[in-house]
Amino acid sequence: MNQIQDWNQRKHEIGMAFRKCPHLPGEADAKAYEALLTQMGISSRRDMSILVSIVQDVVMMARREERPTAPLDAFGDWLRIKLVE
């Protein structure tokens, strides 16, 4: 039970940090993505997993609203690759 609360709290914190970040670059840019991770305080694989989940949620919301998702898709792809490295 405590792990779920910790996960939810951390997801909230990372979600807020993600919303405060500057816009994602239009094309894949590893340096910019690394800077975003640092700015958001992403420091562990668990944090990275949480961020992947958040980005997936934002992508789904954007698609429902028929907004472009290319920058989010590129960032999400980069995150998933980074997670398995």
Side-chain angles (χ1 to χ4, degrees):
M1 178 92 154
N2 194 21
Q3 289 179 345
I4 293 172
Q5 289 174 345
D6 291 345
W7 175 274
N8 288 336
Q9 176 63 31
R10 191 64 182 136
K11 186 171 182 179
H12 175 74
E13 293 167 359
I14 292 170
M16 294 301 292
F18 181 68
R19 284 187 265 297
K20 291 178 183 178
C21 280
H23 294 288
L24 292 171
E27 297 180 9
D29 183 344
K31 278 188 161 186
Y33 295 158
E34 289 286 350
L36 286 173
L37 295 183
T38 301
Q39 184 178 354
M40 287 186 283
I42 304 300
S43 58
S44 68
R45 295 181 66 75
R46 180 177 155 224
D47 286 354
M48 193 81 94
S49 294
I50 291 170
L51 184 56
V52 166
S53 172
I54 291 167
V55 170
Q56 288 172 336
D57 291 347
V58 173
V59 166
M60 287 188 305
M61 186 184 322
R63 286 186 180 146
R64 280 193 302 271
E65 296 172 359
E66 298 180 359
R67 291 184 291 133
T69 61
L72 289 165
D73 290 330
F75 184 52
D77 290 345
W78 180 83
L79 283 171
R80 283 186 285 281
I81 290 168
K82 183 91 171 152
L83 188 60
V84 296
E85 288 181 344

